[in-house]
Amino acid sequence: MTLAVNSRAASRGRLAAAPTEEQAAQLRLLLDERRTGYSLEAPFYTDPEIFAADMQGIFGRHWLFAASLAEIPEPGDYVTVDYGPYSLIVLRTDEGVNVLHNVCRHRGARVLPEKTGTTGNLVCGYHSWTYSADGDLIHASSPGETSFDKACFALKKAHGRVVAGLVFICLADEPPADFDEVAGIFEPYLAPHEIANSRVAYQQDIIEEGNWKLVMENNRECYHCDGHPELACSLFPTWGLSEGIVPPHLEDVWNRNVEAEDALRGRCTRYGLPFEIVEELDTRVTGIRISREPLDGAGESFSATGRRLSKKLLGDLRDFRLGRCSMHLQPNSWFHLISDHVITFAAFPINEHQTLVRTTWLVADDAVEGVDYDVDTLTHTWKQTNLQDKNFVEMCQQGANSPAYEPGPYMKSEYQVEAFINWYTQRMREHVA
């Protein structure tokens, strides 16, 4: 089943402002037919019109992770980020961060075509329309123009928030009201790492040939973690399991994990660090899961031995043996915060079958490459893991494209995948209501 798309909007390469009644009725039917505990019907992963609805109902309405302050450390620094058809400029200013639509008000050219850079005023490369850092049009001269009102043609703005050094944006006129509550949940976990005082050690962009939901589903479970040999050196493969469903061959690992968890809780209590699991993935508009959990081996970082990968502690942390603070935020991001570095992950949908996955490694601002860390060693585990996940996602996309595909059941260890799909279907039902 596919949705009938608004032909006028499609011909412009844009989304309609809202689905037609026919579109909404067809999407409601697909959502209502969704079987609890099972994956979605194939059109949710393959249909361009459902992708367009996702861009309206999910990415057009909710808070999205865009970047960290470490990526734009000085006033004038910017990054551009794309969510499907939307392109945004995230610009550091003397006062904070501005988020502007990357669409010139003259004839629609991209104002800043580069992924990142530094600028004073924003100058469109087509006809040199020039905008201030706040988006106001300050120069648009042309021969013969006498009555042109520049005040009517500022760049369109989006909402921006900085929490614990992370930049979030929202395209909706009225953003979800619960984000303040969610920020209050995760800020105490992240604050000791002082992301705002870190710097970028490396950034990796991978285009995965898979729908954005498959990217997020893959991230929400470790049932497939036997396929991550590098990660398995430090991440307990029992993640996501609970007592009673641990297979016999993982019982020793489970017991080692329990001991490491007890030791980690003792250290967190000593240093006043929150560690409890907060899991509200499908019970609020801004879904979240956050916790601090032990790592295997030495328990310090994502390395073959579990030993630290940078000699410099982040922020005001006083111990390398603090496991990982792991956070999932709906709809497009996840994070690992270690004592010696932070890794941010963001999914940027391109179309119904492609997603850009951006991974950024952050280290202490005074850490020196080649002295305090080796960039290849620092990034090895997650570079390999990302390539492996790319393969898994693409396998699933290929399967969803087959006429033989039908939704399959989630296992008990995949309960977070089920929670993500519950969240998605709830939000989309609200969108088409």
Side-chain angles (χ1 to χ4, degrees):
M1 180 179 293
T2 60
L3 300 181
V5 69
N6 181 292
S7 60
R8 183 181 177 192
S11 68
R12 294 196 305 261
R14 297 174 53 189
L15 299 180
T20 66
E21 183 50 43
E22 182 182 359
Q23 288 177 288
Q26 292 183 61
L27 184 49
R28 277 196 296 270
L29 180 62
L30 276 175
L31 291 166
D32 291 343
E33 288 178 344
R34 193 256 161 165
R35 186 176 177 184
T36 301
Y38 281 69
S39 57
L40 293 167
E41 294 284 349
F44 284 102
Y45 305 118
T46 63
D47 192 295
E49 288 129 9
I50 290 184
F51 176 80
D54 286 355
M55 293 303 99
Q56 297 168 1
I58 301 297
F59 286 84
R61 289 192 171 194
H62 296 278
W63 284 101
L64 311 170
F65 173 64
S68 66
L69 286 181
E71 297 170 60
I72 45 172
E74 301 293 337
D77 292 344
Y78 71 87
V79 296
T80 58
V81 292
D82 295 347
Y83 307 93
Y86 300 104
S87 180
L88 286 304
I89 300 165
V90 181
L91 175 66
R92 186 78 175 259
T93 69
D94 290 326
E95 291 75 33
V97 172
N98 286 343
V99 182
L100 306 165
H101 283 270
N102 194 13
V103 182
C104 183
R105 294 298 308 281
H106 176 213
R107 285 169 57 189
R110 290 282 174 94
V111 178
L112 297 178
E114 301 299 327
K115 170 184 165 183
T116 186
T118 301
T119 186
N121 293 325
L122 287 65
V123 182
C124 177
Y126 195 6
H127 296 99
S128 299
W129 280 35
T130 303
Y131 303 87
S132 71
D134 291 325
D136 296 326
L137 180 60
I138 56 179
H139 174 76
S141 64
S142 180
E145 295 292 345
T146 59
S147 60
F148 179 66
D149 186 358
K150 293 193 290 289
C152 296
F153 294 93
L155 292 178
K156 294 182 179 180
K157 296 183 178 182
H159 299 279
R161 289 282 303 274
V162 178
V163 183
L166 302 178
V167 182
F168 298 90
I169 71 171
C170 185
L171 304 175
D173 291 336
E174 305 224 353
D178 73 335
F179 190 76
D180 287 339
E181 295 176 12
V182 173
I185 291 171
F186 70 75
E187 188 166 24
Y189 286 79
L190 275 55
H193 296 262
E194 294 186 8
I195 292 173
N197 295 326
S198 66
R199 67 179 189 83
V200 175
Y202 191 80
Q203 188 169 84
Q204 175 196 54
D205 280 357
I206 294 178
I207 294 179
E208 299 187 4
E209 297 292 329
N211 185 272
W212 72 274
K213 293 185 288 295
L214 291 176
V215 173
M216 301 307 294
E217 289 180 45
N218 178 74
N219 171 256
R220 294 298 188 251
E221 48 91 359
C222 209
Y223 186 26
H224 70 279
C225 281
D226 284 347
H228 294 316
E230 294 82 6
L231 184 60
C233 294
S234 53
L235 183 69
F236 285 102
T238 50
W239 187 84
L241 300 180
S242 58
E243 196 167 4
I245 64 171
V246 179
H249 74 282
L250 290 178
E251 286 181 357
D252 289 344
V253 178
W254 173 262
N255 292 331
R256 192 166 73 246
N257 189 2
V258 170
E259 292 177 4
E261 195 169 70
D262 289 341
L264 176 62
R265 288 180 176 179
R267 284 191 289 275
C268 288
T269 300
R270 184 185 320 145
Y271 298 126
L273 300 174
F275 58 83
E276 298 86 356
I277 296 175
V278 178
E279 193 166 271
E280 299 183 32
L281 290 170
D282 59 354
T283 55
R284 62 162 61 246
V285 173
T286 305
I288 181 174
R289 185 190 190 276
I290 192 166
S291 65
R292 189 174 288 276
E293 299 166 338
L295 291 170
D296 207 351
E300 295 179 344
S301 203
F302 287 117
S303 64
T305 62
R307 293 287 181 188
R308 67 199 67 169
L309 291 170
S310 173
K311 296 177 184 177
K312 296 286 188 177
L313 285 164
L314 289 168
D316 62 358
L317 298 174
R318 290 174 284 168
D319 196 324
F320 283 98
R321 297 170 301 159
L322 294 175
R324 64 181 181 120
C325 175
S326 177
M327 179 169 71
H328 296 167
L329 282 179
Q330 319 291 42
N332 81 313
S333 58
W334 61 100
F335 309 83
H336 295 306
L337 296 96
I338 324 299
S339 294
D340 63 341
H341 71 287
V342 168
I343 315 172
T344 71
F345 302 82
F348 298 97
I350 299 172
N351 52 46
E352 72 278 5
H353 62 85
Q354 289 182 311
T355 306
L356 170 67
V357 177
R358 176 166 295 159
T359 308
T360 308
W361 286 260
L362 309 176
V363 295
D365 60 353
D366 61 346
V368 179
E369 182 180 349
V371 177
D372 298 308
Y373 68 95
D374 174 77
V375 71
D376 290 333
T377 306
L378 176 76
T379 59
H380 176 72
T381 292
W382 278 103
K383 273 186 179 178
Q384 295 304 115
T385 300
N386 285 345
L387 292 175
Q388 293 150 7
D389 280 333
K390 177 180 187 293
N391 183 53
F392 293 142
V393 168
E394 292 175 356
M395 290 166 58
C396 290
Q397 185 69 40
Q398 291 164 358
N401 288 332
S402 169
Y405 170 87
E406 62 179 88
Y410 295 131
M411 301 293 98
K412 290 181 179 178
S413 62
E414 297 174 291
Y415 76 95
Q416 290 186 40
V417 185
E418 170 69 6
F420 169 69
I421 295 302
N422 283 343
W423 178 88
Y424 168 78
T425 55
Q426 288 175 43
R427 302 289 80 79
M428 289 303 286
R429 285 191 182 104
E430 292 167 1
H431 175 57
V432 298

